[in-house]
Amino acid sequence: MKIAIPKERRDGERRVAASPETVGKLIGLGFQVTVEKSAGDGASFPDAAYKDAGATIAATAAAALKSADLVLKVQAPEAAELKNFKKGAMLMASMGALSDGKGVAAIAKAGITGFAMELMPRITRAQSMDILSSQSNLAGYKAVLDAASEFGRAFPMMMTAAGTVAPARAFIMGVGVAGLQAIATAKRLGAVVTATDVRPATKEQVESLGGKFLEVDPEMEKDAQTEGGYAKEMPPEYFEKQKQVVSEHIKKQDIVITTALIPGRPAPVLVTKEMVESMQPGSVIVDLAVEAGGNVVGAKLGQVVTTSNGVKIVGHANVPGRLAEDASMLFGRNLLNFLTPFVDKETKKLEIDWEDEVVTGTLVTKGGKVVNERVAKAAPAKKPAAKKAPAKKKGS
C-alpha cells in the first residue's frame, strides 16, 4: 500500500505529517512511502533524512499523490490539492470538520475516504492517537514562553544585592491539556500561578501542579463536562458570575493565558474590554483560542496588539506550528499509532475495522458522502430558496 506525505500549503504551516522516524516505522509495517520534496524543511527534516529512512522523494505534490492509497497531512487539503488525489484514496488529517462544512463536503465530492483526526474519541486506548492533546500540550508550553518574551519583567522571585524582584503572577483560564502545560511551565519559570475552569474535576489537577484554583460557581460547575471530557457550553448566568469573579482577580495578574475552546462552536469570551483596561501597564495576555474567534476582546489573529493602557494581547496563529519539529514528530506518531493496530502482521496489509470506535469517531467521508453524524449536524443548514413574489393580476 502506498502512502504519500505532501508538503503543507496553508500559510504559515511549517509542520509535516510524518517525521523520518515515523516514516521508517511505516515502511517497517509494509507501506511504500513517498514524501514530496522539501515537505519537512519547515520542521528541520531534510529530504536526505527521509531517503535514509527508506522513503521515495517526489518532485511535486502531483507526483507524490497520483498513485497514493493513503495521504497523511497536517491540515485538510485545499481545493487545488484535491485535484491531485486518486479517487478512492484515504486521507488522515486535522480537518476542522465541525466548523468547515464546505471543506468536508469538497473532500466527500472528490471521492476521498476522510478521517478527521481531531475527532478522536477520548478513550484510554486512543490517547496515543489524539492529535488535539499532543498539539495542545506544545501550545500551552509555547504560550508561556511567548508571554515571557513580551513581558518586561522576570518570572521568578530574585533576591539580589540591589533588592528583591517579585515573582510574576500568572492566571490560566481553561484547564485542558494546553492549560495544564501552561500551569506547569509557568511554575517552572517561577511564577505564582492561579487557574480556573468550568469543570470542577480540574481543581485537583491544578493543585497537583502547584497552582491555586479559582472557583466561580461550584454548583453550576457540577454538570459542566461532556462524557468525552470536553467543557460544555455554559448558560449566560454562569458567564455573568464568572465575569464578576474574574474581574476582581485579573486586576492583580501580570500574565493571563486563555485556552477555552468548545468543539464546533465559537470560543467563549472570557476577558472583556473592561477587564483588559483594569490590568496594569506591561501585563501580557496570550489568547490560544484566537483562531476560533478568541477568548479575549481585542485579540487579533496573527498579531500582538498593545492596548491604550499598555497591555499586550498576543494572538499568534498556529501556535503548535511555532514548535514545528516537535509538533511534527508527535503528530506523525499519533497517525502511526492510529494505523498500526489495523496492519496485519503476516500479510502487511492495512485492514481497517470499520466498526472500531476510533474509526467510527474519526471517519467523516466515504463513498462520496459525509458519513459522520456529528459533522453532518454541525454543517451549516442550507438557506431556503427565496420565494418568488406572486404575479400581479392584470388590471391590478
Side-chain angles (χ1 to χ4, degrees):
M1 188 174 196
K2 297 179 180 179
I3 293 179
I5 299 160
K7 186 174 183 177
E8 298 295 320
R9 282 170 165 74
R10 293 183 185 259
D11 289 343
E13 185 54 82
R14 295 167 52 212
R15 292 174 292 176
V16 63
S19 65
E21 175 211 16
T22 53
V23 163
K25 290 182 177 179
L26 288 168
I27 290 169
L29 288 172
F31 295 105
Q32 295 177 43
V33 180
T34 300
V35 179
E36 183 187 352
K37 185 180 178 181
S38 303
D41 283 2
S44 304
F45 299 139
D47 291 342
Y50 286 112
K51 286 182 75 174
D52 289 345
T56 300
I57 305 300
T60 64
L65 294 169
K66 66 180 180 181
S67 61
D69 304 299
L70 170 61
V71 179
L72 306 183
K73 285 190 94 282
V74 174
Q75 302 266 13
E78 296 179 323
E81 296 177 81
L82 288 173
K83 296 174 184 177
N84 294 321
F85 278 65
K86 181 176 78 172
K87 191 167 184 180
M90 291 188 287
L91 166 70
M92 294 176 184
S94 175
M95 296 185 189
L98 294 176
S99 55
D100 186 13
K102 186 178 178 182
V104 171
I107 290 168
K109 188 177 179 181
I112 295 165
T113 299
F115 295 86
M117 301 305 290
E118 75 276 8
L119 300 181
M120 186 64 63
R122 286 275 173 107
I123 56 177
T124 302
R125 70 183 177 89
Q127 287 179 354
S128 66
M129 312 171 191
D130 189 349
I131 63 168
L132 290 184
S133 291
S134 70
Q135 303 303 292
S136 295
N137 196 44
L138 291 171
Y141 164 79
K142 186 61 173 173
V144 176
L145 298 190
D146 286 338
S149 71
E150 298 290 346
F151 191 45
R153 288 172 30 213
F155 262 54
M157 176 184 283
M158 294 184 182
M159 308 290 286
T160 77
T164 300
V165 174
R169 291 160 295 188
F171 181 38
I172 315 300
M173 303 185 73
V175 188
V177 174
L180 288 169
Q181 185 56 249
I183 292 167
T185 304
K187 283 296 293 182
R188 284 197 293 268
L189 290 178
V192 175
V193 182
T194 53
T196 189
D197 195 284
V198 299
R199 298 163 294 180
T202 59
K203 180 180 180 181
E204 187 177 329
Q205 295 172 315
V206 170
E207 292 172 347
S208 72
L209 292 171
K212 184 178 179 182
F213 192 75
L214 182 71
E215 289 183 318
V216 174
D217 188 322
E219 193 61 35
M220 291 180 74
E221 289 166 351
K222 283 181 180 178
D223 190 36
Q225 183 169 308
T226 67
E227 290 181 8
Y230 295 101
K232 284 184 180 178
E233 188 168 22
M234 299 296 280
E237 54 267 29
Y238 176 85
F239 288 111
E240 281 304 312
K241 190 159 188 178
Q242 183 186 55
K243 193 185 296 182
Q244 294 170 17
V245 173
V246 171
S247 291
E248 286 305 310
H249 186 69
I250 212 167
K251 293 176 185 177
K252 307 166 189 174
Q253 303 306 304
D254 302 306
I255 306 292
V256 176
I257 295 173
T258 67
T259 72
L261 290 166
I262 300 169
R265 302 281 186 94
V269 174
L270 304 181
V271 181
T272 64
K273 182 182 178 183
E274 292 74 23
M275 291 178 193
V276 175
E277 290 173 347
S278 75
M279 296 178 72
Q280 295 299 309
S283 301
V284 178
I285 305 172
V286 179
D287 189 347
L288 283 180
V290 68
E291 290 175 291
N295 296 145
V296 182
V297 173
K300 292 186 178 179
L301 181 61
Q303 296 184 38
V304 177
V305 177
T306 302
T307 66
S308 58
N309 62 317
V311 176
K312 289 184 178 180
I313 305 175
V314 180
H316 291 309
N318 188 11
V319 176
R322 290 163 60 77
L323 295 166
E325 186 171 346
D326 282 338
S328 300
M329 180 267 291
L330 293 176
F331 193 98
R333 286 182 185 172
N334 291 146
L335 300 188
L336 174 69
N337 292 335
F338 178 75
L339 286 168
T340 300
F342 301 119
V343 177
D344 187 288
K345 292 180 181 178
E346 293 183 5
T347 64
K348 300 285 187 177
K349 290 183 179 179
L350 182 65
E351 298 178 355
I352 292 176
D353 178 0
W354 300 101
E355 301 301 318
D356 190 291
E357 193 173 356
V358 299
V359 173
T360 58
T362 57
L363 182 66
V364 291
T365 63
K366 190 180 181 186
K369 298 178 182 178
V370 176
V371 296
N372 188 290
E373 193 174 329
R374 282 180 70 197
V375 173
K377 285 181 179 178
K382 291 182 179 179
K383 293 181 180 180
K387 292 181 179 179
K388 291 182 181 179
K392 291 183 179 181
K393 294 180 180 179
K394 289 182 180 181
S396 61

